[in-house]
Amino acid sequence: MRLKKFITPILLFFVIKTSQGQQSYNRVVLLMGSRFDITVVAQDSVNANQHIDTAISEISRIEKLISSWDPNSQTSKINRNAGVTPVKVNQELFDLIDRSLKLSSLTDGAFDVSYASMDRIWKFDGSMSKIPTDKEIKASITKVGYQNIILDKKNRTVFLKLPGMKIGFGAIGKGYAADKAKDLLIKNKVVAGIINASGDMNTWGKQPNGEDWKVAITNPLNKAQAFGLLPIHNGAVVTSGDYEKYVSFNGKRYTHIIDPRTGYPSTGIVSVTVFAPKAELADALATSIFVMGKDVGISRINQLPKIECIIIDDQGNIHTSNHIEVEKM
C-alpha cells in the first residue's frame, strides 16, 4: 500500500526582504529515506539555520521512533513480538497507532498500517509477465488487517495477534514528521515556514511579502501546464502520484499501490492531492483515495470538515471535492 511520491506540488514563493528584515531561507536534506525541503522565515541566516537544525533533529527523532528498518526501534520490537506478546511503547507511538486505527476505520480499511505484512507478489520493475493467480493474491494478505492490532490503553501496549504480522508507517510517517517539526518551530517563535517531505507539505504563516503560500497543481500526464493555484492557510497539502511504476495486462493499467483488503493494485487514478489541517491526515487520506477510487474517495472527503481533494484520473481528467477554491492560471 505504500505510496512513492512521484508528483510534488510546485511551491511558489518569493524571497523578498520585508521592512522588518525578514526573508525566507531554505535547506534540502535527506531524511527518512526521502527529500525534505525545509523553509523558514527569519531575520538572518544564522537564526534561520538554527531553526532548520531544530527541525532536522525532530524529524530524525521521529524516524528512530517509527522506523521498521531499525532493529532497535519500538516499531521493530512490536513486529518481532507479533503473535507472541504485547509490547509496551511510549505514549507518542501508542497515540500514533491509535490514530492510525481510527483512520483505518474511517476509510473502511483502505488505509491500514498492517499493510507491511503483505507478501510482495506484484513486481513493478518490468519483470512481470502475467498477473498473479487469485490464490496467490488471496494468500498475500492473510496477515493484513488492522482489526488484529490490539491496543491496551491502561498498560500502553501494542499486540499484533497474528504471527508474522507487521506494521509500517510508510503511508503516514513523513506527514507525521512534518507536523511535529512544524509544531516545534512554531513553539520556538518561527513566524512562518514550510516543511515539504517529498510531497507532504505543511505550512504556517505567510510569505515575507505578506502573501499566502501557494501551490500550483500540475497534471502528471501534461506536466508542462499547471491548471490552477491554491493558497495554503496554515495547513497541509499532500500530493501522491503513481504514474511511473505500473504494469499493464489486457489493456488494463495496474499501479503499485495495493489495496490491503484485496491484494489487488488500485486502478484509474494517477494523482491525488489532499488539503487538510495536518499532514499526517492528508498523507493517509491521499493513500486511501487511490485505493477507494475517485467516486468513493470524493464522497468520503465531502463528509469531512476542513478537508478537500483534487484527483487526476488515468485519462487526465480532473475531479475535485465540493468546496475547493482554485485560482485559475
Side-chain angles (χ1 to χ4, degrees):
M1 188 179 71
R2 183 174 183 175
L3 284 174
K4 183 174 181 180
K5 305 294 193 301
F6 286 109
I7 309 167
T8 303
I10 301 172
L11 179 62
L12 302 180
F13 68 93
F14 305 93
V15 181
I16 298 176
K17 198 166 184 177
T18 67
S19 58
Q20 289 77 31
Q22 292 180 331
Q23 68 182 70
S24 57
Y25 298 85
N26 174 266
R27 194 190 306 173
V28 179
V29 292
L30 182 65
L31 297 164
M32 304 180 75
S34 301
R35 170 179 167 141
F36 274 68
D37 289 78
I38 303 173
T39 301
V40 298
V41 173
Q43 294 288 338
D44 54 61
S45 60
V46 173
N47 189 247
N49 281 315
Q50 289 174 343
H51 290 309
I52 292 174
D53 287 342
T54 296
I56 291 172
S57 295
E58 178 68 354
I59 294 165
S60 298
R61 183 188 68 81
I62 297 297
E63 181 176 16
K64 290 179 181 178
L65 178 69
I66 69 174
S67 173
S68 57
W69 301 105
D70 181 354
N72 297 315
S73 73
Q74 292 184 34
T75 300
S76 292
K77 187 174 182 181
I78 292 170
N79 291 342
R80 282 196 303 272
N81 285 278
V84 179
T85 186
V87 174
K88 190 175 183 66
V89 298
N90 70 18
Q91 191 66 53
E92 182 177 10
L93 182 59
F94 187 92
D95 291 343
L96 178 61
I97 296 172
D98 188 32
R99 292 195 302 275
S100 295
L101 297 186
K102 290 180 171 65
L103 283 167
S104 295
S105 179
L106 175 68
T107 61
D108 302 321
F111 171 84
D112 192 329
V113 291
S114 70
Y115 81 93
S117 310
M118 270 191 283
D119 295 331
R120 304 296 189 257
I121 60 172
W122 293 88
K123 309 294 183 184
F124 299 92
D125 56 5
S127 64
M128 284 187 69
S129 59
K130 62 180 181 178
I131 296 177
T133 66
D134 290 340
K135 183 178 180 180
E136 290 171 329
I137 293 170
K138 185 176 181 179
S140 73
I141 59 169
T142 54
K143 297 174 184 176
V144 177
Y146 70 94
Q147 301 91 341
N148 292 315
I149 302 174
I150 309 303
L151 301 185
D152 182 336
K153 292 187 177 182
K154 181 179 178 180
N155 295 307
R156 212 171 65 229
T157 61
V158 182
F159 179 53
L160 309 183
K161 289 175 62 176
L162 306 179
M165 191 176 179
K166 298 177 183 178
I167 60 172
F169 298 96
I172 196 172
K174 288 192 294 293
Y176 176 63
D179 286 336
K180 294 294 287 186
K182 169 186 169 179
D183 291 345
L184 185 55
L185 292 180
I186 290 174
K187 183 179 179 180
N188 289 346
K189 311 299 183 184
V190 179
V191 296
I194 302 162
I195 310 293
N196 184 0
S198 298
D200 296 5
M201 187 181 298
N202 210 339
T203 73
W204 71 103
K206 293 179 179 291
Q207 298 182 51
N209 63 359
E211 295 183 4
D212 291 322
W213 304 105
K214 295 179 182 179
V215 293
I217 305 301
T218 59
N219 189 327
L221 303 180
N222 183 16
K223 292 187 284 185
Q225 292 183 340
F227 77 89
L229 298 177
L230 294 102
I232 311 300
H233 306 286
N234 191 32
V237 53
V238 171
T239 295
S240 297
D242 190 8
Y243 59 95
E244 293 180 7
K245 294 183 71 174
Y246 63 91
V247 292
S248 295
F249 293 105
N250 301 320
K252 192 170 185 178
R253 181 177 176 278
Y254 298 89
T255 72
H256 81 285
I257 299 97
I258 310 297
D259 186 339
R261 303 166 298 184
T262 67
Y264 283 89
S266 58
T267 61
I269 293 176
V270 295
S271 173
V272 176
T273 299
V274 174
F275 300 82
K278 295 282 188 179
E280 173 191 314
L281 178 59
D283 203 355
L285 291 175
T287 303
S288 304
I289 289 171
F290 265 94
V291 173
M292 292 188 289
K294 64 179 177 64
D295 293 333
V296 174
I298 287 178
S299 175
R300 192 61 50 88
I301 292 297
N302 283 334
Q303 298 174 47
L304 300 175
K306 299 180 180 180
I307 299 174
E308 302 295 340
C309 73
I310 298 172
I311 298 171
I312 300 175
D313 65 26
D314 56 6
Q315 302 301 310
N317 300 312
I318 298 166
H319 312 268
T320 69
S321 53
N322 286 344
H323 304 295
I324 201 160
E325 298 178 5
V326 181
E327 298 177 13
K328 297 295 183 180
M329 297 184 69

